[in-house]
Amino acid sequence: MATYLFDFDGTLVDSMPTYIAVMLRVLDENGISYGEDIVKIVTPLGYKGTAEYYQKLGVRMSVEEIIALFDAYAKKEYTENVQAKVSVKEALTQMKARGDKLNVLTASPHVMLDPCLRRLGMYELFDNVWSCDDFKTTKANPEIYKMAAEKMGAPIQEIIFLDDNFNALKTAKAAGMRVFGVYDASSESYREEIQGITERYIENFSQLV
């Protein structure tokens, strides 16, 4: 019996193309240029953290206005179209049945997260479904993993954190968690970096069972 903490976008669901398109659309509409590493930077930040970062890049809008755009652009896709990644639901069902503790920690807000997991029939498989908003910080802060571990009631060194994002994995590891990398096309260019810091790297959730 193990305790798992899963990322959502790009880990449980095939949503990174949607997530990235929403994030970049706001920059494009405001004529802001950005580097190739923009996805790697903003993915762990959540909507609020990304909005604050965008202000530094030169977006002349309030954090609330930027978040409202993210919500408007993404809500329909998450509620109606985003699908689970291959074998995720089947693997989680088996893991739950054998007694594993399953939890979610994601940068995505509940307005996207909860309806998507419910539509896919996965919400009830988790003991806790957390957005970074619940902790009032981002996955770029090691403290969020410590707070999540405390809420899960498990020693942080025994919790297995799974994510497709290098920065989030690196931060969770620094906080004391075991870390597994998850393949996603959006982070393929960071595969070697991810493999270099993780205990395991999985291409498919069937590898967990």
Side-chain angles (χ1 to χ4, degrees):
M1 190 171 76
T3 301
Y4 291 89
L5 182 62
F6 297 95
D7 170 49
F8 174 64
D9 292 287
T11 298
L12 298 176
V13 294
D14 190 18
S15 59
M16 285 310 294
T18 296
Y19 190 89
I20 293 166
V22 167
M23 296 294 108
L24 299 187
R25 180 175 173 182
V26 173
L27 291 178
D28 292 340
E29 288 177 347
N30 284 272
I32 304 295
S33 60
Y34 45 86
E36 292 181 2
D37 60 347
I38 186 69
V39 174
K40 183 179 179 182
I41 292 169
V42 303
T43 299
L45 297 182
Y47 281 15
K48 184 173 186 290
T50 300
E52 291 168 348
Y53 181 70
Y54 280 11
Q55 287 183 322
K56 293 175 185 174
L57 292 182
V59 176
R60 296 181 179 277
M61 300 168 66
S62 70
V63 167
E64 292 73 21
E65 288 170 333
I66 297 171
I67 291 173
L69 280 182
F70 291 158
D71 286 346
Y73 295 159
K75 188 173 182 179
K76 179 179 173 63
E77 289 299 313
Y78 279 87
T79 303
E80 298 178 9
N81 299 322
V82 167
Q83 295 298 313
K85 293 180 79 171
V86 174
S87 78
V88 164
K89 185 178 180 182
E90 295 79 6
L92 292 176
T93 301
Q94 292 180 55
M95 293 164 75
K96 181 80 170 179
R98 74 186 182 192
D100 291 337
K101 302 292 185 183
L102 311 178
N103 306 272
V104 174
L105 175 63
T106 176
S108 285
H110 284 288
V111 69
M112 276 58 143
L113 170 65
D114 296 0
C116 187
L117 285 177
R118 290 186 192 281
R119 173 174 53 82
L120 297 172
M122 298 197 298
Y123 188 90
E124 300 301 329
L125 294 171
F126 297 102
D127 295 291
N128 298 285
V129 175
W130 291 307
S131 166
C132 289
D133 297 339
D134 299 321
F135 295 93
K136 296 181 170 55
T137 187
T138 75
K139 287 164 71 179
N141 179 3
E143 292 303 313
I144 198 171
Y145 305 97
K146 298 174 184 177
M147 289 187 284
E150 187 174 338
K151 286 181 178 290
M152 285 184 277
I156 194 166
Q157 66 271 16
E158 294 179 9
I159 297 167
I160 300 169
F161 175 68
L162 293 93
D163 204 310
D164 61 300
N165 181 269
F166 173 73
N167 285 340
L169 288 162
K170 184 172 69 172
T171 307
K173 184 175 183 177
M177 286 187 177
R178 297 172 62 188
V179 291
F180 289 7
V182 178
Y183 171 78
D184 190 74
S186 68
S187 57
E188 189 165 13
S189 60
Y190 301 106
R191 178 197 288 260
E192 289 187 8
E193 292 176 80
I194 291 171
Q195 288 176 323
I197 64 165
T198 53
E199 193 174 319
R200 287 182 65 188
Y201 184 83
I202 64 168
E203 305 273 350
N204 186 297
F205 262 55
S206 62
Q207 293 171 255
L208 293 175
V209 292

Tab-separated table of all heavy atoms in Angstrom, residues 32-64:
chain	number	residue	atom	x	y	z
A	32	ILE	N	3.158	40.075	-26.551
A	32	ILE	CA	4.322	39.833	-25.696
A	32	ILE	C	5.152	38.681	-26.263
A	32	ILE	O	4.629	37.598	-26.527
A	32	ILE	CB	3.886	39.479	-24.256
A	32	ILE	CG1	2.977	40.575	-23.668
A	32	ILE	CG2	5.102	39.236	-23.371
A	32	ILE	CD1	3.646	41.914	-23.485
A	33	SER	N	6.440	38.921	-26.450
A	33	SER	CA	7.319	37.846	-26.934
A	33	SER	C	7.781	36.999	-25.760
A	33	SER	O	7.804	37.453	-24.618
A	33	SER	CB	8.524	38.433	-27.674
A	33	SER	OG	9.269	39.272	-26.814
A	34	TYR	N	8.145	35.732	-26.033
A	34	TYR	CA	8.555	34.823	-24.959
A	34	TYR	C	9.519	33.785	-25.518
A	34	TYR	O	9.581	33.544	-26.726
A	34	TYR	CB	7.335	34.122	-24.342
A	34	TYR	CG	6.333	33.594	-25.351
A	34	TYR	CD1	6.481	32.339	-25.931
A	34	TYR	CD2	5.235	34.372	-25.724
A	34	TYR	CE1	5.562	31.864	-26.847
A	34	TYR	CE2	4.314	33.911	-26.649
A	34	TYR	CZ	4.472	32.656	-27.204
A	34	TYR	OH	3.564	32.187	-28.120
A	35	GLY	N	10.287	33.174	-24.618
A	35	GLY	CA	11.302	32.215	-25.016
A	35	GLY	C	10.752	30.808	-25.167
A	35	GLY	O	9.596	30.531	-24.828
A	36	GLU	N	11.594	29.911	-25.640
A	36	GLU	CA	11.184	28.522	-25.855
A	36	GLU	C	10.865	27.796	-24.549
A	36	GLU	O	10.167	26.779	-24.556
A	36	GLU	CB	12.292	27.763	-26.604
A	36	GLU	CG	12.482	28.225	-28.038
A	36	GLU	CD	13.560	27.437	-28.754
A	36	GLU	OE1	14.125	26.509	-28.136
A	36	GLU	OE2	13.817	27.735	-29.928
A	37	ASP	N	11.377	28.331	-23.447
A	37	ASP	CA	11.179	27.667	-22.159
A	37	ASP	C	9.925	28.158	-21.429
A	37	ASP	O	9.709	27.829	-20.261
A	37	ASP	CB	12.402	27.873	-21.266
A	37	ASP	CG	12.688	29.344	-20.981
A	37	ASP	OD1	12.095	30.214	-21.667
A	37	ASP	OD2	13.518	29.621	-20.098
A	38	ILE	N	9.055	28.890	-22.103
A	38	ILE	CA	7.879	29.481	-21.451
A	38	ILE	C	6.985	28.408	-20.821
A	38	ILE	O	6.483	28.577	-19.712
A	38	ILE	CB	7.072	30.368	-22.443
A	38	ILE	CG1	5.931	31.094	-21.725
A	38	ILE	CG2	6.538	29.557	-23.609
A	38	ILE	CD1	6.361	32.162	-20.767
A	39	VAL	N	6.787	27.286	-21.511
A	39	VAL	CA	5.912	26.226	-20.993
A	39	VAL	C	6.505	25.627	-19.723
A	39	VAL	O	5.798	25.408	-18.729
A	39	VAL	CB	5.687	25.132	-22.059
A	39	VAL	CG1	4.906	23.964	-21.472
A	39	VAL	CG2	4.952	25.713	-23.258
A	40	LYS	N	7.807	25.390	-19.754
A	40	LYS	CA	8.506	24.835	-18.583
A	40	LYS	C	8.387	25.775	-17.386
A	40	LYS	O	8.236	25.333	-16.243
A	40	LYS	CB	9.978	24.611	-18.944
A	40	LYS	CG	10.823	23.962	-17.860
A	40	LYS	CD	12.244	23.791	-18.363
A	40	LYS	CE	13.162	23.172	-17.325
A	40	LYS	NZ	14.554	23.048	-17.813
A	41	ILE	N	8.405	27.075	-17.655
A	41	ILE	CA	8.354	28.066	-16.576
A	41	ILE	C	6.957	28.164	-15.968
A	41	ILE	O	6.795	28.129	-14.745
A	41	ILE	CB	8.793	29.456	-17.093
A	41	ILE	CG1	10.285	29.451	-17.442
A	41	ILE	CG2	8.504	30.547	-16.056
A	41	ILE	CD1	10.751	30.680	-18.187
A	42	VAL	N	5.926	28.289	-16.813
A	42	VAL	CA	4.605	28.623	-16.273
A	42	VAL	C	3.796	27.421	-15.801
A	42	VAL	O	2.912	27.574	-14.954
A	42	VAL	CB	3.761	29.429	-17.291
A	42	VAL	CG1	4.478	30.695	-17.707
A	42	VAL	CG2	3.349	28.602	-18.492
A	43	THR	N	4.106	26.221	-16.298
A	43	THR	CA	3.280	25.061	-15.950
A	43	THR	C	3.146	24.837	-14.447
A	43	THR	O	2.051	24.542	-13.978
A	43	THR	CB	3.798	23.791	-16.646
A	43	THR	OG1	3.722	23.980	-18.062
A	43	THR	CG2	2.968	22.583	-16.286
A	44	PRO	N	4.208	24.960	-13.634
A	44	PRO	CA	4.036	24.724	-12.194
A	44	PRO	C	3.403	25.896	-11.431
A	44	PRO	O	3.107	25.766	-10.250
A	44	PRO	CB	5.474	24.499	-11.684
A	44	PRO	CG	6.343	24.428	-12.885
A	44	PRO	CD	5.625	25.152	-13.968
A	45	LEU	N	3.208	27.040	-12.095
A	45	LEU	CA	2.846	28.258	-11.368
A	45	LEU	C	1.362	28.403	-11.053
A	45	LEU	O	0.993	29.172	-10.163
A	45	LEU	CB	3.308	29.496	-12.161
A	45	LEU	CG	4.810	29.644	-12.384
A	45	LEU	CD1	5.103	30.933	-13.146
A	45	LEU	CD2	5.564	29.608	-11.061
A	46	GLY	N	0.505	27.683	-11.785
A	46	GLY	CA	-0.928	27.909	-11.597
A	46	GLY	C	-1.354	29.202	-12.265
A	46	GLY	O	-0.527	29.973	-12.782
A	47	TYR	N	-2.654	29.459	-12.261
A	47	TYR	CA	-3.166	30.640	-12.951
A	47	TYR	C	-2.696	31.934	-12.306
A	47	TYR	O	-2.275	32.869	-12.982
A	47	TYR	CB	-4.702	30.595	-12.978
A	47	TYR	CG	-5.269	29.684	-14.043
A	47	TYR	CD1	-4.484	28.746	-14.697
A	47	TYR	CD2	-6.608	29.763	-14.414
A	47	TYR	CE1	-4.999	27.908	-15.672
A	47	TYR	CE2	-7.140	28.930	-15.388
A	47	TYR	CZ	-6.333	28.009	-16.007
A	47	TYR	OH	-6.846	27.184	-16.975
A	48	LYS	N	-2.740	32.003	-10.981
A	48	LYS	CA	-2.344	33.238	-10.304
A	48	LYS	C	-0.855	33.507	-10.495
A	48	LYS	O	-0.446	34.621	-10.825
A	48	LYS	CB	-2.684	33.173	-8.814
A	48	LYS	CG	-2.390	34.457	-8.044
A	48	LYS	CD	-2.924	34.373	-6.616
A	48	LYS	CE	-2.751	35.702	-5.893
A	48	LYS	NZ	-1.336	36.004	-5.595
A	49	GLY	N	-0.033	32.474	-10.299
A	49	GLY	CA	1.408	32.637	-10.469
A	49	GLY	C	1.773	33.009	-11.897
A	49	GLY	O	2.663	33.836	-12.131
A	50	THR	N	1.073	32.386	-12.859
A	50	THR	CA	1.319	32.701	-14.266
A	50	THR	C	0.906	34.143	-14.568
A	50	THR	O	1.620	34.866	-15.275
A	50	THR	CB	0.560	31.733	-15.183
A	50	THR	OG1	1.002	30.398	-14.930
A	50	THR	CG2	0.798	32.062	-16.645
A	51	ALA	N	-0.231	34.565	-14.027
A	51	ALA	CA	-0.696	35.942	-14.241
A	51	ALA	C	0.322	36.947	-13.706
A	51	ALA	O	0.630	37.954	-14.360
A	51	ALA	CB	-2.056	36.143	-13.582
A	52	GLU	N	0.868	36.668	-12.539
A	52	GLU	CA	1.878	37.564	-11.956
A	52	GLU	C	3.149	37.573	-12.800
A	52	GLU	O	3.771	38.631	-12.994
A	52	GLU	CB	2.182	37.120	-10.519
A	52	GLU	CG	1.014	37.360	-9.573
A	52	GLU	CD	1.173	36.686	-8.218
A	52	GLU	OE1	2.083	35.832	-8.078
A	52	GLU	OE2	0.386	37.003	-7.306
A	53	TYR	N	3.505	36.407	-13.315
A	53	TYR	CA	4.687	36.321	-14.189
A	53	TYR	C	4.445	37.101	-15.478
A	53	TYR	O	5.345	37.793	-15.982
A	53	TYR	CB	4.996	34.855	-14.489
A	53	TYR	CG	6.199	34.636	-15.367
A	53	TYR	CD1	7.487	34.892	-14.896
A	53	TYR	CD2	6.057	34.172	-16.679
A	53	TYR	CE1	8.602	34.689	-15.704
A	53	TYR	CE2	7.165	33.966	-17.487
A	53	TYR	CZ	8.430	34.227	-16.995
A	53	TYR	OH	9.525	34.031	-17.798
A	54	TYR	N	3.233	37.015	-16.009
A	54	TYR	CA	2.896	37.737	-17.240
A	54	TYR	C	2.984	39.238	-17.045
A	54	TYR	O	3.355	39.970	-17.966
A	54	TYR	CB	1.496	37.342	-17.712
A	54	TYR	CG	1.445	36.022	-18.460
A	54	TYR	CD1	2.540	35.159	-18.488
A	54	TYR	CD2	0.292	35.631	-19.146
A	54	TYR	CE1	2.486	33.959	-19.178
A	54	TYR	CE2	0.241	34.432	-19.840
A	54	TYR	CZ	1.336	33.598	-19.849
A	54	TYR	OH	1.279	32.405	-20.530
A	55	GLN	N	2.617	39.712	-15.867
A	55	GLN	CA	2.755	41.145	-15.592
A	55	GLN	C	4.223	41.574	-15.701
A	55	GLN	O	4.531	42.632	-16.232
A	55	GLN	CB	2.212	41.472	-14.207
A	55	GLN	CG	0.690	41.433	-14.110
A	55	GLN	CD	0.205	41.826	-12.732
A	55	GLN	OE1	0.811	41.492	-11.722
A	55	GLN	NE2	-0.908	42.549	-12.685
A	56	LYS	N	5.108	40.712	-15.213
A	56	LYS	CA	6.546	41.015	-15.296
A	56	LYS	C	7.022	41.023	-16.747
A	56	LYS	O	7.963	41.747	-17.096
A	56	LYS	CB	7.350	39.993	-14.491
A	56	LYS	CG	7.109	40.071	-12.994
A	56	LYS	CD	7.836	38.958	-12.253
A	56	LYS	CE	7.497	38.962	-10.771
A	56	LYS	NZ	8.094	37.796	-10.054
A	57	LEU	N	6.373	40.199	-17.588
A	57	LEU	CA	6.736	40.165	-19.006
A	57	LEU	C	6.189	41.380	-19.761
A	57	LEU	O	6.612	41.642	-20.887
A	57	LEU	CB	6.208	38.882	-19.659
A	57	LEU	CG	6.839	37.559	-19.242
A	57	LEU	CD1	6.222	36.405	-20.028
A	57	LEU	CD2	8.356	37.562	-19.439
A	58	GLY	N	5.220	42.069	-19.134
A	58	GLY	CA	4.705	43.278	-19.762
A	58	GLY	C	3.219	43.305	-20.069
A	58	GLY	O	2.733	44.243	-20.712
A	59	VAL	N	2.464	42.298	-19.634
A	59	VAL	CA	1.014	42.313	-19.843
A	59	VAL	C	0.406	43.377	-18.930
A	59	VAL	O	0.522	43.297	-17.705
A	59	VAL	CB	0.384	40.933	-19.547
A	59	VAL	CG1	-1.133	41.013	-19.674
A	59	VAL	CG2	0.947	39.877	-20.504
A	60	ARG	N	-0.251	44.353	-19.530
A	60	ARG	CA	-0.789	45.481	-18.756
A	60	ARG	C	-2.245	45.225	-18.367
A	60	ARG	O	-3.177	45.904	-18.824
A	60	ARG	CB	-0.665	46.774	-19.556
A	60	ARG	CG	0.777	47.167	-19.838
A	60	ARG	CD	0.884	48.458	-20.616
A	60	ARG	NE	2.268	48.838	-20.864
A	60	ARG	CZ	3.040	49.483	-19.993
A	60	ARG	NH1	2.534	49.832	-18.816
A	60	ARG	NH2	4.291	49.779	-20.294
A	61	MET	N	-2.424	44.214	-17.539
A	61	MET	CA	-3.744	43.866	-17.013
A	61	MET	C	-3.563	43.463	-15.564
A	61	MET	O	-2.451	43.110	-15.145
A	61	MET	CB	-4.353	42.694	-17.805
A	61	MET	CG	-4.541	42.957	-19.281
A	61	MET	SD	-4.928	41.432	-20.199
A	61	MET	CE	-6.524	41.041	-19.520
A	62	SER	N	-4.642	43.506	-14.794
A	62	SER	CA	-4.558	43.054	-13.408
A	62	SER	C	-4.484	41.538	-13.369
A	62	SER	O	-4.846	40.856	-14.340
A	62	SER	CB	-5.775	43.525	-12.610
A	62	SER	OG	-6.933	42.824	-13.034
A	63	VAL	N	-4.012	40.996	-12.262
A	63	VAL	CA	-3.953	39.539	-12.093
A	63	VAL	C	-5.346	38.945	-12.281
A	63	VAL	O	-5.515	37.924	-12.951
A	63	VAL	CB	-3.390	39.182	-10.698
A	63	VAL	CG1	-3.613	37.710	-10.374
A	63	VAL	CG2	-1.898	39.515	-10.636
A	64	GLU	N	-6.344	39.610	-11.721
A	64	GLU	CA	-7.728	39.112	-11.816
A	64	GLU	C	-8.219	39.093	-13.259
A	64	GLU	O	-8.913	38.146	-13.675
A	64	GLU	CB	-8.654	39.974	-10.953
A	64	GLU	CG	-8.435	39.868	-9.453
A	64	GLU	CD	-7.166	40.571	-8.966
A	64	GLU	OE1	-6.665	41.472	-9.689
A	64	GLU	OE2	-6.675	40.204	-7.871
